Amino acid sequence: MSAAVSSSDAVMTGRSKGWDRQVSITLLDPRDPEVLAWNRKQRLKHQSSRPTCPFAEDYNRTLRRWEVLLQQFVATAVTEACGPQILRQKFFGGMLNASLQYREIDLVVGSPESPEVFVELKCRETSRNPKAGWTQLSKSLATARQMWPSLSGLCVQMAMGRLLQTEEDYQQPVVSLQDLSDAFTRAKSCDGVTVWVCGQEVTRFGLAQGLVQQAEIDQLLQQRKCMLNPVAILREAEPERRENVGLFERFRHLTRNT
């Protein structure tokens, strides 16, 4: 499925092997039918017949709630955020078949027609790597700056080490919600800006906004332990005392088919 080129597209003409080649660059809403069709195609492409670990599935499903919390948390620091967007790059014209490339942008500041900052959001179990996340963001910026040359980027990392008991002290300085607006200002004047926020503060924000429940917070650490060592967790309780028989039966099914 292919959407018509909108007025916000960048259309540039180049030469490829002697033929005219045009490129259009657009930001699309994640709910756009074209994007939904692409998502379905990607899921089918990467679908595997090999069973996946149910404990990892449960942990990652809960962890995605924190990704949503982080997005909402960061969006409150700016008034012009338009939410997540999909960056589409379309090649067409000449003797070449049309081809599409898509990149997910976690948060866009500005409007889809005139974005100012692309924001990359990452949830981290530890805060060891100060620049993680910029590889993917740099590729998106390189594409989008063909249309919007003054576009800047900001990487926001959430340190979850204290929530997950993976580190006692953060190895990077964390900023408060009030300091995030300053980070956006700095990002507009220089490349490579990365800031860290405290996972506990984001969690408190989520509780206050009703975006996460206390039960999910309680489950998060246990689910991570199950993912890392499912056999040990299952052996901690006698079979007749296991509260979540569904998980245990799923694990038995997994081991029988691997």
Side-chain angles (χ1 to χ4, degrees):
M1 185 181 294
S2 177
V5 177
S6 73
S7 59
S8 62
D9 284 354
V11 180
M12 294 154 285
T13 302
R15 302 288 292 182
S16 178
K17 296 183 179 179
W19 301 102
D20 289 335
R21 192 183 197 196
Q22 293 181 315
V23 180
S24 73
I25 296 170
T26 317
L27 283 175
L28 300 177
D29 189 289
R31 296 164 295 183
D32 186 287
E34 176 183 342
V35 175
L36 296 177
W38 170 64
N39 283 332
R40 286 193 295 270
K41 185 177 180 180
Q42 291 299 107
R43 283 196 297 270
L44 290 173
K45 180 180 178 181
H46 297 291
Q47 218 171 39
S48 174
S49 58
R50 182 179 175 84
T52 56
C53 174
F55 296 99
E57 289 179 353
D58 290 337
Y59 174 66
N60 290 326
R61 188 179 300 112
T62 302
L63 199 60
R64 281 194 290 271
R65 299 284 289 157
W66 268 259
E67 295 174 358
V68 175
L69 297 186
L70 179 59
Q71 184 186 91
Q72 297 293 324
F73 181 82
V74 174
T76 60
V78 289
T79 57
E80 316 86 36
C82 63
Q85 296 286 311
I86 303 297
L87 179 66
R88 184 190 69 179
Q89 185 177 27
K90 183 177 182 179
F91 303 94
F92 60 96
M95 296 295 291
L96 298 174
N97 294 325
S99 61
L100 294 168
Q101 293 179 0
Y102 299 88
R103 293 186 183 276
E104 297 180 24
I105 311 300
D106 294 330
L107 187 68
V108 173
V109 176
S111 68
E113 296 74 25
S114 183
E116 299 176 10
V117 184
F118 279 5
V119 186
E120 181 78 11
L121 304 173
K122 295 291 185 183
C123 298
R124 300 295 186 187
E125 294 184 340
T126 67
S127 54
R128 295 192 187 101
N129 190 342
K131 285 293 182 180
W134 261 96
T135 300
Q136 182 176 342
L137 182 56
S138 295
K139 293 178 181 178
S140 298
L141 288 171
T143 296
R145 282 172 176 163
Q146 298 175 73
M147 173 66 170
W148 305 286
S150 62
L151 183 68
S152 59
L154 174 67
C155 187
V156 181
Q157 316 260 16
M158 178 165 59
M160 300 185 67
R162 291 176 183 171
L163 281 171
L164 299 173
Q165 297 181 7
T166 53
E167 58 184 358
E168 293 183 3
D169 298 306
Y170 297 138
Q171 301 178 48
Q172 308 297 329
V174 296
V175 303
S176 66
L177 181 59
Q178 290 75 16
D179 296 327
L180 269 178
S181 58
D182 295 334
F184 280 102
T185 302
R186 285 191 290 117
K188 292 178 181 180
S189 60
C190 62
D191 257 348
V193 175
T194 299
V195 293
W196 288 79
V197 295
C198 175
Q200 291 168 307
E201 182 179 359
V202 176
T203 300
R204 289 192 293 268
F205 166 84
L207 283 171
Q209 298 294 319
L211 299 172
V212 68
Q213 304 299 318
Q214 184 62 48
E216 293 174 282
I217 301 172
D218 297 337
Q219 289 172 356
L220 185 62
L221 180 58
Q222 183 67 10
Q223 287 176 334
R224 183 174 184 274
K225 291 179 178 178
C226 288
M227 177 191 67
L228 294 175
N229 196 347
V231 175
I233 295 297
L234 290 170
R235 286 174 177 170
E236 287 181 1
E238 296 175 3
E240 63 272 20
R241 294 184 181 178
R242 291 191 181 99
E243 296 180 1
N244 198 336
V245 177
L247 269 181
F248 179 62
E249 292 301 323
R250 287 165 64 193
F251 180 72
R252 287 177 57 193
H253 175 76
L254 171 69
T255 56
R256 286 198 301 268
N257 288 277
T258 54

